[in-house]
């Protein structure tokens, strides 16, 4: 298997990670976030539903991969680390009430002489459970445990040119899937039919670049449910006069470019007609303001002022850093575009700007994923930035 | 929104959960597993990437839902619990380094007078992090914390007739997606093209029943990688003479029926020809032996003896309880078909029997999902149980 990045890029990532470890006084870093495991080693498999980790030791050149026996070959073929550093645990540790993989891992750390060091763990990562923390502490009584949540995510904030290139490919897939998905929407078509169309193109990708599974499935709240952003599709047919929100991301080499659009089936109601220009103007203002040196909090301020003129307010954050990830989230959990966020924009940071407005029984989402450039910002996708209208009267020629 | 189960079925599930809480001396149960949240309340949304939970209080008739503000409407429309019991936290708690949702939740539990009780938490669930445990303990110093991992999963082991019906619908989707996916395989077609075909049918479902996103994406290791079960697809074309393993699950109302098949592109090599009948004989023996009263450990023994005759051994477990779930796993983490597992089969338990054999550079997977019946067992799917051969010489009429 060919690694998606040059070996020197992985070395650079590891070096920056170790710098941050030193700043925090961490000698051994246990990485359980699958995106961080991938970022540092290349490891790529759907094996994160069992306990596994990458061990970064401050004074060792190579990470260790520790995971399930049947996944060890995957660590050998998808990473740059030496086979000797791939340490499998037997299958009786898997989802067992008598053996826990963290006991095995603690034992390994003791054996190789790191049981009494300052150990960083990603305490708030999905794949580092409360029990994992307890069992590690129990097995390593002479170690000091430090929180290293987001330590590697912070390194991920600024993308390399190769990462940006992968996001550009992902963006092409996003554009294609959004176009084909929206084309399929008409009264009587089931939501699952449109979701299938979207998924087909997300996964097939373009003739040049095959798609991968996104970290979040297509979100498709419809009608009254457009006030509820995280609903997926149902098996109900679309209804004339309803709106549907589509939020998807193309994915290439695990890099995501999300995009949301609101689609009116038939002519939009007054509320949508009124609010869409407010959102679009806000997006324009935010993207025009974004450049190196500006903070995420200042971006939010631009948005807030922009919609306040029209009498609107927004409770939730408007965006977040995005890129490499695995389920359940394509966000990177570092910079958020919201009030008070002090993240300073730098070139090659990438954000999903999704300044949705939700009301009691409806909502609107129009989003853009953008890159911070040397002097400003640029969008990844080209799909029209507008309220999309699927009027079956206009489309009569296309409908059988 | 119509709930997928009668309200009485939810009440029965809650009652059984409370019985287990009593047995363990748990007064307040904090449910963070999205499948368990769905099982008890109906809650269904892709919101588990932020902290959220269902709170079961032993002496209160209704659960509480606590989650993100923008997801609260989802809790109101997808669950049977009263709107007053839906408690949202503000957005500045989301992925923040200054506010943690568990602080909010601890505060709520204090306010409503449950801060000093015996609290059960799902310590080893993906969506209950080490930090979640620490913050809760910190915020509720007078509470006693007990481990309740798998408490609700144990209730889920035996399915109701309605759950079995949903699995039958999922099985129809599995059969369809497996058939269409395998039909698409031929030399030169990219792995992502076949994955797209599979996903299309998994999500579209049948004309009667729309499909949903499975908790695991299609797994498709190919060629030498058939020794690595948890690789997904690549953008490389299939090669004549290689094998590909396909493991997928149709999903309906979040209930899964997984199925794995090994496909030889062109005539199979000697190894595959030799080992396939061994696996098929083993499956037949296990399914013939499965019935109420038998343990999972005894099923493994039947398999072990069956393949040992032919000189084979298997390291990993051969199966697991399956049904309702969310990413990253469709397994239920209760009964495992492996040596020493004491789970006693009962009617309407459902298992994915996947007695894969992996070698250094290849492997074979042929699986069945089965239900324990009153007297034996029955398969959910009808797709041919054999080594599948896609010989392009035989298929010349179908290939342009």
């Amino acid at each position: 298997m060919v690694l998606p990045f040059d070996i020197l890029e992985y070395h650079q990532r590891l070096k920056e990670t170790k710098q941050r470890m030193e700043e925090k006084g961490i000698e051994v870093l246990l990485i359980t976030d699958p995106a961080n495991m991938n970022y540092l080693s290349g490891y790529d498999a759907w094996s994160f539903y069992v306990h596994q980790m990458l061990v970064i030791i401050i004074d060792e050149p190579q990470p260790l991969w520790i995971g399930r026996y049947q996944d060890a070959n995957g660590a050998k073929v998808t990473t740059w680390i030496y086979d000797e550093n791939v340490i499998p645990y037997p299958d009786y540790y898997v989802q067992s009430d008598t053996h826990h993989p963290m006991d095995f891992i603690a034992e390994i750390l003791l054996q190789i002489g790191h049981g009494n060091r300052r150990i960083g763990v990603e305490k708030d990562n999905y794949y580092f459970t409360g029990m994992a923390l307890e069992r590690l502490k129990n097995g390593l009584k002479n170690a000091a445990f430090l929180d290293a949540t987001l330590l590697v995510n912070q390194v991920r904030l600024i993308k390399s040119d190769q990462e940006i290139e992968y996001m550009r490919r992902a963006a092409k897939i996003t554009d294609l899937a959004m176009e084909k998905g929206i084309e399929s929407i008409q009264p009587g078509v089931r939501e699952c039919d449109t979701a299938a169309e979207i998924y087909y193109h997300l996964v097939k990708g373009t003739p040049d670049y095959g798609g991968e599974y996104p970290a979040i499935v297509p979100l498709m709240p419809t009608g009254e449910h457009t006030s509820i952003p995280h609903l997926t599709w149902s098996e109900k047919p679309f209804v004339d006069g309803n709106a549907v929100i589509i939020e998807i991301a193309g994915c290439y080499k695990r890099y995501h470019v999300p995009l949301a659009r609101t689609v009116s089936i038939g002519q939009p109601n007054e509320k949508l007609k009124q609010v869409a220009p407010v959102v679009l103007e806000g997006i324009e203002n935010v993207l025009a303001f974004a450049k190196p040196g500006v903070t995420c909090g200042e971006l939010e301020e631009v948005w807030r002022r922009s919609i306040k003129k029209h009498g609107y307010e927004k409770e939730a954050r408007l965006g977040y850093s995005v890129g490499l990830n695995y389920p359940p989230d394509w966000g990177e959990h570092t910079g958020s575009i919201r009030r008070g966020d002090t993240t300073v924009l730098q070139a090659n940071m990438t954000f999903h700007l999704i300044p949705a407005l939700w009301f009691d029984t409806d909502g609107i989402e129009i989003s853009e994923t953008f890159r911070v450039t040397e002097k400003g910002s640029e969008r990844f996708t080209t799909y029209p930035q507008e309220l999309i209208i699927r009027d079956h009267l206009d489309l009569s020629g296309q409908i059988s």
Side-chain angles (χ1 to χ4, degrees), chain A residues 246-268:
Chain A
I246 299 188
E247 183 181 356
I248 62 171
C251 179
Y252 187 80
K253 302 290 176 199
R254 308 302 322 138
Y255 285 81
H256 295 74
V257 170
L259 189 70
R261 286 294 180 267
T262 301
V263 181
S264 175
I265 306 163
Q267 285 303 309

Side-chain angles (χ1 to χ4, degrees), chain A residues 23-24 34 50 61 77 104 134 147 168 176 182 187-188 196 225 229 236 241 249 292 316 326 329 355 371 386 400:
Chain A
E23 284 161 25
K24 296 210 166 205
V50 299
V77 304
F104 179 93
E134 276 193 356
D147 185 23
R168 291 204 173 107
L176 178 69
I182 288 178
H225 294 158
K236 284 187 292 193
Y326 284 86
D329 196 6
R371 173 175 87 90
E386 59 191 32
S400 61

Side-chain angles (χ1 to χ4, degrees), chain A residues 185-204:
Chain A
I185 295 175
Q186 49 176 279
V189 166
R190 298 177 304 174
E191 295 174 26
C192 57
D193 298 332
T194 288
E197 201 67 42
I198 290 170
Y199 245 129
Y200 179 81
H201 292 284
L202 287 178
V203 171
K204 189 178 178 78

Side-chain angles (χ1 to χ4, degrees), chain A residues 346-364:
Chain A
Q346 297 179 60
N348 274 6
M349 285 186 180
T350 50
F351 292 90
H352 185 209
L353 172 65
I354 177 163
L357 291 178
W358 298 293
F359 309 102
D360 279 349
T361 57
D362 53 2
I364 184 166

Side-chain angles (χ1 to χ4, degrees), chain A residues 106-362:
Chain A
E107 187 58 39
I108 294 285
L109 290 175
L110 280 173
Q111 281 176 18
I112 61 177
H114 297 296
N116 57 354
R117 300 191 82 172
R118 294 170 61 83
I119 296 178
V121 290
E122 297 177 297
K123 271 191 195 170
D124 211 18
N125 181 258
Y126 310 110
Y127 300 102
F128 189 74
T129 65
M131 188 176 287
L133 179 60
E134 276 193 356
R135 299 296 274 249
L136 277 179
K137 281 188 170 173
N138 191 53
L140 297 167
K141 291 209 163 54
N142 296 320
F145 283 88
L146 290 90
D147 185 23
T149 305
L150 303 185
L151 184 147
V152 178
N153 304 54
Q154 292 292 347
V155 181
R156 282 162 48 200
L157 247 177
I158 300 177
K159 273 68 183 172
S160 71
D161 291 344
Q162 186 66 60
E163 289 179 289
I164 295 294
E165 169 59 23
Y166 288 156
M167 288 182 74
R168 291 204 173 107
R169 295 178 193 178
K172 286 198 166 60
I173 297 171
T174 308
D175 272 331
L176 178 69
M178 185 64 86
E179 182 192 331
K180 297 291 185 181
I182 288 178
E183 273 177 19
S184 77
I185 295 175
Q186 49 176 279
V189 166
R190 298 177 304 174
E191 295 174 26
C192 57
D193 298 332
T194 288
E197 201 67 42
I198 290 170
Y199 245 129
Y200 179 81
H201 292 284
L202 287 178
V203 171
K204 189 178 178 78
T206 71
D208 294 327
Y209 307 117
E212 298 178 9
Y213 59 90
I216 303 180
V217 299
L219 300 171
M220 286 181 54
T222 305
E224 286 209 354
H225 294 158
T226 52
S227 67
I228 311 171
H230 298 118
L231 295 187
T232 53
W233 61 88
S234 79
E235 53 189 338
K236 284 187 292 193
F238 292 114
V239 174
D240 193 25
N242 269 353
V244 50
I245 291 173
I246 299 188
E247 183 181 356
I248 62 171
C251 179
Y252 187 80
K253 302 290 176 199
R254 308 302 322 138
Y255 285 81
H256 295 74
V257 170
L259 189 70
R261 286 294 180 267
T262 301
V263 181
S264 175
I265 306 163
Q267 285 303 309
N269 62 30
E270 286 309 310
K271 175 82 156 289
L272 265 185
K273 273 196 258 187
Q274 191 182 44
V275 79
V278 176
V279 172
L280 291 168
E281 182 188 325
I283 290 174
E284 197 185 324
N285 289 335
V286 171
L287 289 181
F289 192 79
K291 59 177 176 292
V294 163
T295 67
C296 282
E298 287 168 331
L299 289 185
E300 191 276 340
E301 224 175 289
V302 170
W303 163 262
R304 191 160 13 106
R305 278 202 302 262
S306 179
I307 64 169
K308 203 180 173 183
K309 282 188 308 192
H310 304 283
Y312 291 98
E313 277 184 24
K314 177 174 168 59
E315 190 252 355
R317 63 175 182 178
L318 2 161
Y320 45 80
S321 180
V322 73
L324 175 71
N325 230 329
Y326 284 86
D329 196 6
W330 53 48
E332 296 188 316
H333 298 200
T334 47
S336 279
I337 306 178
R338 66 177 150 198
R339 199 187 285 225
D341 189 297
T342 56
T343 309
V344 179
L345 300 196
Q346 297 179 60
N348 274 6
M349 285 186 180
T350 50
F351 292 90
H352 185 209
L353 172 65
I354 177 163
L357 291 178
W358 298 293
F359 309 102
D360 279 349
T361 57
D362 53 2

